[in-house]
């Protein structure tokens, strides 16, 4: 059962530092799922910047210039983009993931302070990935009979979460017995319920399946018969174990498969979010160092889940709180509280 922790941190539980396991505490307050997605929240947050700021899209920052002590107004922060342009700012808030910082410290001029650079090295990044598999109807709820869909029942007794513990029954597709877990997105209330299973992956399983999906880039992720997708044979063994599965029913054949590929994304830092693995010596001090960073001196501030309160690391809430905290710090320093 301890293997279930892997999908929480993005690595096998054997790599979790027991000393700093307390840093992986659950979020403060009630833990909820926003079934309608974050779209409305993003739209509200974006209202002010979209109305009052110039938003530059498809520009990659490759160099960040700031003086060692740049609080003076005549020392702006200069950003250089890959199209040859330069932009000057009074303050810069950098929300790139920790994985990006690990691989792009040469973008900072002058170099980041040694202690900050060490902190970036010391904290690890997980390998969490997700696979969404959609069907014509949520057959596992008993919503089909004889190949024909029935009306949804008001009462859904199927659990929202299923775990396949170290499966030994798929030696051809999963010889390493990687555990699998799936979330039932049909458990959501209307109108946000979906006939979709969401599988969480981590560790070597993530690497294997992301490469497998990438090996057939021409395969359509939304083919009406998604059994042709390269990932389907891997998950078919677990889908077949769900209640009411029938190999001859069209309701049990996926219509779409979509997978994340953060391990291949340079802007994501080739990973997901922070975790605390065996070998880290002082994760608390490292996280606090990244949180404090260089904003007060160089006017380059760090924000994101890797600079959030400990109980919110690895979450969208943590990323929001980190950005909000930096915004308040900038207002305070500039006398605009």
């Amino acid at each position: 059962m301890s293997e279930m922790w892997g999908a929480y941190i993005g690595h096998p539980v054997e790599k979790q530092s027991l000393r700093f396991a307390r840093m992986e505490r659950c979020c403060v307050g009630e833990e909820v799922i926003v079934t309608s997605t974050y779209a409305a929240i993003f739209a509200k947050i974006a209202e002010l910047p979209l109305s009052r700021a110039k938003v530059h899209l498809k520009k990659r920052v490759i160099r960040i210039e700031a003086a060692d002590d740049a609080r003076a107004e005549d020392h702006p922060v200069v950003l250089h983009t890959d199209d040859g342009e330069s932009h000057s700012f009074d303050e810069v808030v950098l929300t790139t993931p920790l994985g990006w910082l690990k691989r792009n410290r040469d973008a900072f001029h002058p170099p980041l302070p040694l202690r900050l650079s060490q902190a970036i090295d010391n904290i690890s990044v997980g390998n969490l990935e997700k696979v969404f598999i959609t069907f014509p109807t949520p057959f596992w709820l008993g919503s089909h009979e004889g190949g024909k869909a029935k009306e949804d029942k008001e009462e859904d007794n199927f659990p929202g979460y299923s775990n396949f513990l170290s499966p030994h029954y798929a030696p051809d597709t999963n010889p390493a017995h990687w555990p699998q877990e799936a979330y039932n997105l049909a458990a959501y209330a209307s109108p946000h319920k979906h006939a979709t299973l969401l599988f969480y992956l981590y560790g070597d399983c993530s690497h294997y399946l992301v490469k497998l999906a990438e090996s057939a880039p021409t395969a359509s992720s939304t083919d009406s018969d998604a059994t042709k997708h390269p990932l389907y044979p891997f998950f078919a063994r677990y889908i077949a174990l769900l209640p009411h599965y029938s190999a001859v029913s069209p309701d049990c054949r996926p219509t779409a498969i979509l997978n994340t590929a953060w391990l291949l994304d340079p802007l994501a830092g080739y990973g997901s979010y922070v975790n605390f693995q065996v070998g880290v010596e002082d994760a608390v001090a490292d996280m606090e160092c990244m949180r404090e960073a260089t904003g007060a001196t160089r006017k380059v501030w760090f924000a994101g889940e890797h600079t959030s309160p400990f109980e919110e690391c690895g979450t969208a809430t943590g990323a929001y709180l980190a950005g909000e905290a930096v915004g308040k710090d900038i207002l305070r320093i500039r006398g605009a509280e």
Side-chain angles (χ1 to χ4, degrees):
M1 292 295 289
S2 65
E3 292 177 336
M4 297 167 60
W5 189 246
Y8 189 86
I9 63 173
H11 269 101
V13 65
E14 294 83 0
K15 293 189 176 183
Q16 166 73 57
S17 169
L18 182 59
R19 179 183 177 189
F20 293 104
R22 60 188 173 84
M23 304 260 301
E24 297 283 9
R25 349 179 234 190
C26 295
C27 304
V28 173
E30 183 180 4
E31 191 166 350
V32 298
I33 295 176
V34 184
T35 60
S36 60
T37 77
Y38 290 118
I41 299 174
F42 288 155
K44 183 62 178 178
I45 295 173
E47 283 181 0
L48 184 60
L50 289 178
S51 64
R52 300 180 59 179
K54 293 181 180 179
V55 180
H56 298 267
L57 301 177
K58 298 183 179 180
K59 288 182 179 287
R60 186 173 301 193
V61 175
I62 59 174
R63 184 181 175 93
I64 302 167
E65 293 182 356
D68 280 323
D69 188 355
R71 288 297 346 152
E73 291 299 325
D74 58 347
H75 287 88
V77 180
V78 182
L79 304 183
H80 300 270
T81 55
D82 57 357
D83 58 0
E85 292 187 356
S86 299
H87 304 268
S88 297
F89 299 93
D90 295 326
E91 310 278 349
V92 167
V93 180
L94 194 67
T95 61
T96 53
L98 177 60
W100 185 92
L101 291 174
K102 287 177 174 289
R103 292 168 173 78
N104 293 276
R105 274 169 292 182
D106 58 350
F108 295 88
H109 300 271
L112 294 174
L114 177 60
R115 180 64 187 94
L116 176 57
S117 186
Q118 291 172 338
I120 291 172
D121 277 336
N122 293 343
I123 301 300
S124 49
V125 176
N127 296 326
L128 183 74
E129 297 286 356
K130 300 177 182 180
V131 176
F132 298 81
I133 304 179
T134 297
F135 298 84
T137 185
F139 68 85
W140 52 91
L141 303 183
S143 55
H144 77 103
E145 189 176 55
K148 295 183 179 180
K150 298 191 298 183
E151 291 184 5
D152 288 343
K153 300 177 181 179
E154 288 187 11
E155 188 175 344
D156 174 7
N157 294 318
F158 188 80
Y161 170 82
S162 299
N163 198 294
F164 306 88
L165 299 174
S166 297
H168 285 252
Y169 43 81
D172 52 337
T173 56
N174 187 3
H177 316 304
W178 294 314
Q180 303 299 312
E181 57 185 72
Y183 286 84
N184 166 29
L185 302 192
Y188 296 160
S190 296
H192 305 300
K193 62 193 311 180
H194 308 278
T196 299
L197 297 173
L198 166 57
F199 284 84
Y200 271 63
L201 317 172
Y202 60 89
D204 291 338
C205 184
S206 285
H207 284 277
Y208 171 71
L209 291 178
V210 165
K211 290 180 180 178
L212 182 62
E214 186 71 9
S215 67
T218 57
S220 173
S221 61
T222 56
D223 194 308
S224 59
D225 181 10
T227 58
K228 300 174 184 177
H229 193 282
L231 293 183
Y232 177 69
F234 182 89
F235 292 103
R237 304 295 290 271
Y238 315 110
I239 293 170
L241 295 176
L242 295 175
H244 312 293
Y245 175 82
S246 170
V248 299
S249 171
D251 288 339
C252 302
R253 298 174 67 88
T255 56
I257 295 179
L258 177 67
N259 68 284
T260 61
W262 293 310
L263 288 171
L264 303 179
D265 187 347
L267 296 182
Y270 303 102
S272 50
Y273 46 75
V274 303
N275 59 27
F276 308 101
Q277 296 185 27
V278 173
V280 62
E281 295 183 358
D282 196 343
V284 173
D286 290 330
M287 293 295 290
E288 289 176 342
C289 179
M290 288 193 292
R291 190 181 302 155
E292 295 167 2
T294 60
T297 56
R298 297 188 181 187
K299 298 197 284 190
V300 177
W301 305 78
F302 289 180
E305 57 86 18
H306 54 291
T307 67
S308 67
F310 296 139
E311 64 272 13
E312 302 289 354
C313 290
T315 68
T317 300
Y320 177 88
L321 291 174
E324 184 179 60
V326 165
K328 291 179 178 178
D329 284 342
I330 293 175
L331 290 175
R332 174 179 53 79
I333 285 179
R334 302 186 75 84
E337 284 188 287

